[in-house]
Amino acid sequence: MMKKQLKWMLVLCCGLVMSAGFAACDDDDDDHFQREETDEEKSYFDRELATADVTYKVRLAKDELKLYDVKISYMDEKGVEQSFLMNDTAWTLKRSLTPKDLPAEFVLRAKPSLKDGLVLDDNAQFQVGCITKLLVVVKNSYGRVICERDDIGLSPSDFVTMTGADIKNPWSSAVSDLFGSLFNTDKKSVTVSSNKIKYNGMSEHYW
C-alpha cells in the first residue's frame, strides 16, 4: 500500500514539474513576441516632422567678383529680408525650424551689378557665373532624416567663360542668358510645411 501511494506521489510531482516547465516556456514565448520596439526600430516608421533645417548657399565663379558687385538678399529667422555684398566666392547660412515655426517661406536672391569704371581687354577671358541653392533636411523626433531635398544649382558646369568684349556689351546673347549677368538675378524660393516642401512655387516633395 505504501509503495502504491509513493508511486502516485512521484507521478503527481513529475506532472507538476512538467506543467511548470511548459508554463515557463509559454511565458518566454509571450515575452519574445510582446517585447517593446527599440527606438532604432520605431524611428523607421515615424514620419512626423520634428525639425527642419534650411540651408542657403551661394557660389560664384572665380572671376565674378573682379567684374561684379554681387548683392545677396535672404529672409532671416523672423521673415525679414536682409542684404549684403559678397566678398568671397562662397556663402552658406543654416536655419533650423520646429513645427511651431511652420509653414515658413525662404527666399534667396543674388543680384550682380557690373563694377563702375571697369577696364577690360576685349580678348581677355573670364570665368563668370552666380548660382544660388536652397537645401532642406527634415528629421523626425528620433533624429532620423525622413526627407532631404534641394533645388538645382551650384554645379561648376553652370559657370561660363566669356571675353571682355562680351562682358562690356550687356545686350549680347552670351550675357543676357547668363546667371550672374548685369540684368539677370538668380533667385530661389522654398516653402516648408509640416508634410511637404515646395520649390519656386512649383516642384513639391512629400514625406
Side-chain angles (χ1 to χ4, degrees), residues 15-174:
L16 290 173
V17 170
M18 291 178 67
S19 297
F22 288 137
C25 289
D26 288 342
D27 289 343
D28 289 342
D29 289 342
D30 290 342
D31 289 342
H32 177 72
F33 290 106
Q34 294 179 7
R35 70 175 180 80
E36 188 175 348
E37 288 181 313
T38 65
D39 284 349
E40 175 72 13
E41 292 168 332
K42 291 177 181 177
S43 70
Y44 284 100
F45 302 99
D46 182 356
R47 308 299 294 177
E48 186 173 344
L49 179 152
T51 62
D53 294 329
V54 178
T55 304
Y56 295 113
K57 293 187 176 184
V58 177
R59 186 173 177 181
L60 307 179
K62 65 178 183 179
D63 296 320
E64 185 76 10
L65 293 179
K66 297 176 184 177
L67 309 172
Y68 296 92
D69 292 321
V70 182
K71 182 180 179 181
I72 303 300
S73 300
Y74 67 97
M75 294 174 66
D76 64 15
E77 65 277 2
K78 297 180 180 179
V80 178
E81 185 174 301
Q82 304 291 341
S83 299
F84 69 96
L85 289 177
M86 288 282 286
N87 57 15
D88 201 349
T89 56
W91 173 76
T92 299
L93 176 67
K94 181 178 177 180
R95 288 183 51 191
S96 295
L97 308 166
T98 60
K100 67 179 177 61
D101 302 314
L102 302 177
E105 182 181 13
F106 304 84
V107 177
L108 176 61
R109 180 185 296 108
K111 176 63 177 178
S113 301
L114 200 62
K115 291 180 180 291
D116 292 332
L118 197 62
V119 178
L120 299 176
D121 183 333
D122 286 351
N123 297 316
Q125 293 189 330
F126 303 92
Q127 186 191 66
V128 293
C130 177
I131 308 168
T132 59
K133 187 183 185 76
L134 285 167
L135 170 67
V136 182
V137 178
V138 178
K139 295 181 181 180
N140 61 21
S141 59
Y142 298 92
R144 181 175 294 278
V145 174
I146 56 177
C147 184
E148 184 173 8
R149 293 287 187 273
D150 59 56
D151 63 335
I152 59 173
L154 289 182
S155 171
S157 63
D158 292 326
F159 298 145
V160 299
T161 299
M162 299 176 61
T163 65
D166 284 332
I167 292 171
K168 287 187 292 185
N169 177 12
W171 300 108
S172 71
S173 59

